Each structure stands twice: as C-alpha cells, then as structure tokens.
Amino acid sequence: MSTVTRLTPERAEPSPGDHRRAFGAWLDGVEADLRASRQSCRTLDGEMAHNRRVSELLWEQGFTRWGWPPAAGGFAGSPLLRAVVAEELTLRGLVHQNIFTMPEILGAGFAALASPALIGEHLEAYLTGRHWWCQGFSEPEAGSDLANLRTRAVRNGDVFVVNGQKVWTTLAQYAQRCVLLARTGAPGSAHRGITAFLIDVDTPGVTIRPLRGMNGDDEFSECFFGDVEIGADRVIGEIDGGWTVAMQILAFERATIFWTRAAWLLERLGALLRRSSGGPRAAALIGDAYQQVAALRARSRQTQYAMAAGRFAAPQSSVDKVLMAAAEKAVFDAAFELLEDEFVTEDGEDAAVWRNQYLYSRAASIYGGTGEIQRNIIAERLLDLPRAP
Ligand SMILES: Cc1cc2nc3c(=O)[nH]c(=O)nc-3n(C[C@H](O)[C@H](O)[C@H](O)COP(=O)(O)OP(=O)(O)OC[C@H]3O[C@@H](n4cnc5c(N)ncnc54)[C@H](O)[C@@H]3O)c2cc1C
C-alpha cells in the first residue's frame, strides 16, 4: 500500500537563490537544536538517528520535497533546489555529508527509472528517513568488473529466486531496502543480462554482516542471499535492463553529490585554517588544497546545471569523480601534515574526527569506481583515445 503524504507547496517553484534564502532563514531558528542533536551522537548509530530526525523534519516542512516526483510526495521542480538545501546544511556542519546525500544516489536513480507504482510505494519512506536503502552492486570478484557479477536471479512464476553475495555494501546493516543487481541472463551475458531489483532486506534468506573499515566504523557490510524470493513487480526498469539503472545510479554517485562534497571540504579547510599556526608550509598546503576544491566546485556547478537540464551524459561524471578524489585527498593530506602531533597522540574528540576523516579520504579514489577506471572512461569515451590493451 502506498503511504505517500500529499502536501501542496505554499508558493510557486522558487529559484535556487530564493530557496536558499528561505531555507537559510528557517534554519537560523533551528540551527542550535540541530547542532546539539548532532553533537550528542558522534557514533555511526547516532549519526543515522540524527540523519533520520533531520530528514523527517525537512520533509515535513517541505524544504526537501522540491525536485522529487509528486508520486513520492514531492513538489516536482528542479533538482538544484535539493542541492542548495544539502549545501546549506553541510556548510553549517549540521549533517553527516555521506549519509545525508545517499538518497541523491539511489533515490534519484530510482526516481528516474522505476515504474510509477514502485515510486509511489517506496520512495517517500526513503526520502523522509523512515527507511534506509543500500546499494548491492559490488561482489568479491566483481567491483571494477561489475558487468561480470555472479549473483543470480532465476524466474519462477511471479517471483525471482536470488542466490549470491555482495560486499562493501555501505550501511546495509541499517537498511530496509536494497537496490540489488543480479544476473538474469546467461552466465556470459555480461552487462546485457543484469536486472535491478528493489529488495526488502528482511526477506528470509538475506544475511547481513557488518565489516569494519580502517577508520574504525562499521561503514559497510557483506550481504548473502540464499534462495531469496523477490516479486517480479520489484524489478526496477526492464528485465535484463539493469545496466542502464546501474549506470544512472553511478553517474549520480560520481557527480551530483559532489556539490555538497565540495561544500564539506571547504568547511573542513576553514576548520584547518583556524587551527593552523601559519607559515609558508601551511600556506602552500592549504592553498593547494583550496585550489583543488575550487576546481571541483566550478566543475560541479556546471554539472548540476547540466543534469537539471537533462544535458549530462554518464561518462562525463568520471571527470567530477577524479577531481573529487584529488581534492579530498589534498585537504586531508594537508590536515595530516599540519596537525601531525594531534593525529598521532591526542585522544580528544576533535582529533578522533580528523583521524577518521583522513582515513576515509583514502577511499575517495575507490568507491563509485576507482581512479584508474575513471581515467580509462575519460580516455576512451570522452577523448576518443584507443582502448587500454
Ligand atoms: C568506502 C567504500 C564504500 C563502498 N560502498 C559500496 C556500496 O555501497 N555498494 C557497492 O556495491 N559497492 C561499494 N563499494 C565498492 C566499490 O564500488 C569497489 O571497491 C570498487 O568498484 C572497486 O572494486 P574492487 O574493490 O573489487 O577492486 P578491483 O576491481 O579488484 O580493483 C583492484 C585494483 O585494480 C585496478 N583495476 C581493476 N580493473 C582495472 C582496469 N580494467 N584497468 C586499470 N586498472 C584496473 C583498480 O583500479 C584497483 O586499483 C564501496 C567501496 C568503498 C571503498
């Protein structure tokens, strides 16, 4: 049954600037409460609970409904309106950037390609924070080589029966739903024989085991599927058309969310600058990192407008991904060098946060497709260079 809550917008679709002003004015009034809520819960469990509170509040107030389809309780309109809300929250440090922007990856891909019935049934619960979704793409032998994934979904009347394993599934232990890629074609069918499903994680036969990352967080999980039945009505897009869904979602993962990633990196650089004791080395490191974040931000602005206008092709997102990984590493390399003693010896919460973020930044050139793969895509698809041998 659909649970969509209808709310009529109080005004016509605002411009991004007007939306930012209205949201910022409202945020001024609740900022202290949101800050206290976030500061009281620095664990992953706490961040997830805080994210749910913020998502629910913003949806109730209508600010995050812009840019999402009415079938999911949204107000329609430009996705740029979502970007300015996420940016304002991030610049003020009121949300965990990775967590808050996840619906921009899975939710946006789902909104673009799922049937109206599936959207009406499931998307709003995700956007309000009542549900959490995870991305079941990578497998032990299929990360970069995603087209050769082995998890199988075999049709049996009205259901598909799924068997296989996924790995590195971000925050799967909190999820109610998983966007799952499985092979429905013959074993050698590569990208032509893959289907995307929206699966309930509490279906019998699904087992989730959290994995600890080097930053100490149980950030991702391995997921096992043993004779898991999923209704044929849970196919996203077309049967055997899952590659299109995957490429759409990966384009969002490699591009849309970097507008707020750049805002977060700017906030981090500001924090580093305030703690730095100055000098030429600090100026060089912070200046270099700033240039890289500025380049990411300039590229990302262009990307946000191109996406909003429907003028953005998936391979272009590889440029954004390469810039993002370089900028993020530059910011945290600078922090590592300038806060060296703190990184190594201090136990305080601030030091722990810097350490955690430094270690996570090493993954920036892996998730969403590695740096090598992005450079191959840029070379072959954008620059028309010969294929790598
Ligand atoms: C923090 C984090 C979160 C993640 N979250 C998720 C998630 O939620 N859902 C999900 O499905 N996956 C997730 N992943 C997995 C991620 O998508 C994969 O790690 C990534 O695609 C690389 O795959 P792999 O780890 O199997 O490495 P491999 O594909 O085995 O690559 C190993 C190395 O070989 C290189 N290489 C491989 N093929 C080529 C080639 N053709 N040319 C040149 N170099 C090559 C790679 O660049 C890399 O350096 C996450 C990963 C991380 C680090």
Side-chain angles (χ1 to χ4, degrees):
M1 285 289 290
S2 169
T3 53
V4 173
T5 58
R6 300 282 174 190
L7 194 72
T8 310
E10 285 169 7
R11 53 204 171 106
E13 181 180 345
S15 68
D18 285 348
H19 196 48
R20 184 190 294 280
R21 276 185 287 281
F23 180 58
W26 176 83
L27 203 51
D28 288 343
V30 296
E31 182 168 352
D33 284 349
L34 294 185
R35 195 173 299 287
S37 158
R38 184 154 190 232
Q39 273 165 357
S40 68
C41 54
R42 286 296 191 171
T43 61
L44 203 50
D45 285 352
E47 290 283 12
M48 290 298 288
H50 171 72
N51 190 68
R52 180 184 164 140
R53 277 196 291 277
V54 174
S55 301
E56 217 160 14
L57 179 63
L58 297 183
W59 191 257
E60 268 170 25
Q61 296 293 322
F63 290 114
T64 44
R65 292 188 186 235
W66 288 106
W68 292 107
F75 292 162
S78 171
L80 293 172
L81 302 176
R82 310 200 301 248
V84 298
V85 167
E87 189 192 18
E88 275 299 307
L89 289 164
T90 301
L91 284 170
R92 299 185 195 207
L94 299 177
V95 288
H96 188 294
Q97 204 268 329
N98 283 357
I99 297 173
F100 187 77
T101 54
M102 276 285 278
E104 288 294 337
I105 302 171
L106 295 176
F110 185 79
L113 293 168
S115 66
L118 271 186
I119 292 172
E121 189 81 27
H122 299 282
L123 187 55
E124 190 185 25
Y126 185 33
L127 301 178
T128 59
R130 271 187 284 125
H131 279 178
W132 184 254
W133 293 10
C134 63
Q135 179 181 347
F137 289 13
S138 303
E139 300 183 1
E141 300 296 327
S144 303
D145 196 14
L146 189 61
N148 283 320
L149 60 83
R150 292 185 193 161
T151 294
R152 282 197 63 71
V154 177
R155 182 111 193 211
N156 182 10
D158 288 343
V159 299
F160 284 82
V161 181
V162 180
N163 281 284
Q165 183 194 345
K166 298 289 170 180
V167 73
W168 316 126
T169 322
T170 296
L171 303 173
Q173 69 271 35
Y174 296 99
Q176 284 75 32
R177 303 278 182 270
C178 176
V179 176
L180 180 80
L181 295 182
R183 181 155 310 285
T184 40
S189 55
H191 65 278
R192 290 179 305 280
I194 293 172
T195 299
F197 297 90
L198 185 71
I199 189 165
D200 294 357
V201 167
D202 62 359
T203 309
V206 180
T207 307
I208 298 198
R209 290 201 205 122
L211 295 169
R212 182 147 299 176
M214 68 177 172
N215 63 355
D217 289 340
D218 292 347
E219 141 85 22
F220 25 53
S221 294
E222 48 187 356
C223 308
F224 300 89
F225 300 86
D227 289 334
V228 175
E229 290 196 353
I230 176 164
D233 58 348
R234 290 297 193 86
V235 169
I236 304 170
E238 305 289 327
I239 293 173
D240 288 340
W243 195 248
T244 306
V245 179
M247 290 306 104
Q248 177 77 75
I249 286 174
L250 285 172
F252 288 129
E253 183 170 5
R254 291 172 187 163
T256 340
I257 56 169
F258 297 157
W259 179 249
T260 30
R261 198 84 185 157
W264 177 65
L265 292 175
L266 280 178
E267 186 271 328
R268 292 286 71 198
L269 262 188
L272 184 60
L273 194 58
R274 285 191 294 280
R275 301 174 61 112
S276 158
S277 43
R281 185 67 189 147
L285 285 170
I286 293 177
D288 175 62
Y290 179 78
Q291 276 185 27
Q292 299 208 40
V293 178
L296 169 66
R297 193 169 153 78
R299 164 73 186 186
S300 188
R301 184 178 191 281
Q302 200 182 23
T303 298
Q304 307 305 318
Y305 276 90
M307 279 197 155
R311 282 188 286 102
F312 192 77
Q316 293 170 8
S317 64
S318 296
V319 175
D320 303 57
K321 179 77 203 317
V322 168
L323 290 174
M324 185 285 288
E328 182 156 340
K329 286 188 180 180
V331 168
F332 289 99
D333 283 345
F336 183 78
E337 190 170 329
L338 297 173
L339 306 177
E340 194 183 5
D341 290 346
E342 199 169 320
F343 261 83
V344 178
T345 55
E346 284 195 21
D347 290 330
E349 189 182 301
D350 202 37
V353 169
W354 279 108
R355 268 198 300 274
N356 180 305
Q357 293 174 344
Y358 170 82
L359 291 170
Y360 194 85
S361 71
R362 306 301 98 178
S365 54
I366 303 175
Y367 57 76
T370 67
E372 291 78 10
I373 296 297
Q374 303 319 304
R375 287 180 172 84
N376 278 350
I377 294 172
I378 292 167
E380 293 164 16
R381 309 277 306 274
L382 299 181
L383 301 177
D384 215 12
L385 293 170
R387 283 183 71 81

